[in-house]
Amino acid sequence: MNGLREYAISVIMMAMLCSLVLNLLQSSAAKGIVKMVCGMILTITAVAPLCRMDLSIQENLSSSFLAEAKAAASEGEDLNRDALRAVIKQELETYIQDKAADLNAEITAQVTLNNGDPPLPSWVVIKGDISPYAKQQLQKILQAQLGIAKESLEWTG
Amino acid sequence: MRKLIIVLILLPFLITPAYAIELKAPEVPESGADWMPESTASFPDALMELLHKALLTLQPDLADAAQISITVTCIIMALSMLQSFSGTLQRIASAAGAAAIASALLNDTNSLIRLGTTTITELSDYGKLLLPVMTAAMASQGGTTASTMLYAGTAAFDIVLSSLISNFLVPAVYCFLAIATANSAFGEDILTRLRDFIKWLITWTLKTLLTVYTTYMGISGVVSGTTDAVALKAAKFTISSVVPVVGGILSDASESVLVSAGLVKNAAGIYGIIAVLAVFLAPFLKIGAHYAVLKLTSALCSLFGTKQLTTLIEDFSTAMGFILAMTGTTCLLVLISTICFLKGVG
């Protein structure tokens, strides 16, 4: 604020001084030259602070905003992947439990997904009492419809 | 008591897992907190509430501006009486008049310029917090390339704009005011061209920057949007080529996650837009009120005042116009980027 006040006062005072000088030289032949000099002094007084300005935006521009952009986008992709994995896992577990229920077996399934894109079931743990017939049928269903091999199933009583 | 304990024990088992993508727009800055609508669920309602609050606070701003206007009009009236004298006294009266008007307006103009620059900093800072959220939200919806380009472009333009405003344009406004006052006090019109050049430079810089930014947004939106759309189609094709039932489950899951991501992105974007407007509207209206009242004062004073002094008032109103333009440009930058993020993928 002080700097601004000093600047404004200096410009205004200089203008008033120039005006006064010009008034004193009302009909002098040197008036033209004095007017030019006054104009130059006024311009320098007014524009000088602009010349001392710091225009170094290059330093800021070289900051790592592109890396930040990639990091933020990568965070979004991770969120998407996590949400997708959670939904797929839940859907598959519900599907297996429903199929078992159709075979009169009450089980709980725990699906492990691989890290592929899209994530696919790689291991399934099935808990509960299930008859040999139902177990065989369920194995066939899981193989045919979900692509889960017999070796990727773990049965726990 | 026993029942309560049982309920508390059983309560965690009743919680069903929610797999929605969790992203929230940053909290509105303190300066806009009072203006923030209670709910941002409905964009038109929130906007109406914001405008209603804005109109209510316009009255004291107009009263402040009117007070300054009356002071300036009184100075011009007193000076117009002195102008009836001829010779040196007339010139001295003119120079003293310029100094009097400048001192009457400079304090108010300076506080408005400070208000404008504070608002610009706040808008820019909020934009910097909102950008990563919107980028993550758009990337989670499948727009990785578009969101990266939007983030990078907006961040770069924001840095250029805020650096230009604080390091060049605001000092240029002060310089413009000093030259305008000196020109008026000097009374020979020799600084008119220089004053007009600074005016042109400020206007041109802002216009060019905004034009380049909107062009960049348009081009990057088309280019990256197409890339993301192709990537999404390829992903869908991969999913459908998996074992039929698994493919169906994957496809449904992918679709529901994308819908959820879209909803999260919209909620964050709308909150962000309203928050930006809440920060922007109060100072913008305050500066706008002073700008309009000064324009009116200049028009009124031209009826009885000298051209020199009337032009000086006009120049002060132009300076406020510059601050309005700078604040508006910064706000537009954040709004345009948020809208581009909201536009979606493809």
Side-chain angles (χ1 to χ4, degrees), chain B residues 5 22 29 38 48 52 82 88 103 124 133 142 145 173 187 189-190 203 211 229-230 244 248 266 269 299 316:
Chain B
I5 292 166
E22 280 182 37
E38 279 175 20
M48 286 307 289
H52 181 69
L82 284 173
T88 313
S103 59
S124 174
V133 176
T145 317
V173 171
D189 264 1
I190 53 169
T203 317
T211 311
V230 170
N266 278 0
F316 269 90

Side-chain angles (χ1 to χ4, degrees), chain A residues 1 3 12 25 44 51 59 61-63 73 76 79 99 108 122 125 130 137-138 147-148:
Chain A
M1 184 64 192
I12 294 166
L25 300 167
I44 291 165
C51 303
E59 276 174 38
L61 266 179
S62 63
S63 66
L79 285 170
K99 286 290 165 194
T108 55
S122 60
V125 179
I130 186 164
Q137 289 302 309
L138 195 60
I148 304 169

Side-chain angles (χ1 to χ4, degrees), chain B residues 58-72 105 108 112 286-294 297 320:
Chain B
L58 196 60
Q59 208 176 347
D61 292 338
L62 281 170
D64 283 350
Q67 217 170 353
I68 293 155
S69 166
I70 290 165
T71 312
V72 171
L105 288 175
D108 182 53
L112 289 175
K286 193 181 173 74
I287 303 166
H290 282 74
Y291 171 73
V293 169
L294 265 188
T297 312
M320 286 187 195

Side-chain angles (χ1 to χ4, degrees), chain B residues 121-200:
Chain B
T121 313
E122 276 182 357
L123 285 171
S124 174
D125 289 348
Y126 187 77
K128 277 176 196 144
L129 293 175
L130 185 64
L131 258 181
V133 176
M134 294 307 290
T135 306
M138 194 176 184
S140 73
Q141 215 194 357
T144 311
T145 317
S147 62
T148 309
M149 281 184 85
L150 281 175
Y151 184 113
T154 308
F157 275 98
D158 182 64
I159 286 168
V160 172
L161 182 68
S162 47
S163 301
L164 270 178
I165 286 175
S166 58
N167 296 338
F168 173 65
L169 294 175
V170 171
V173 171
Y174 282 123
C175 186
F176 169 82
L177 284 174
I179 288 174
T181 311
N183 193 39
S184 182
F186 193 45
E188 289 282 336
D189 264 1
I190 53 169
L191 295 174
T192 309
R193 294 271 171 172
L194 189 64
R195 182 202 60 191
D196 290 346
F197 170 73
I198 294 175
K199 185 178 170 180
W200 168 82

Side-chain angles (χ1 to χ4, degrees), chain A residues 1 23 53 57 80 86 88, chain B residues 19 91 110 140 144 163 167 250:
Chain A
M1 184 64 192
N23 267 310
M53 278 181 328
I57 51 172
N80 177 296
I88 291 170
Chain B
Y19 299 114
R91 290 204 69 157
N110 185 45
S140 73
T144 311
S163 301
N167 296 338
L250 290 179

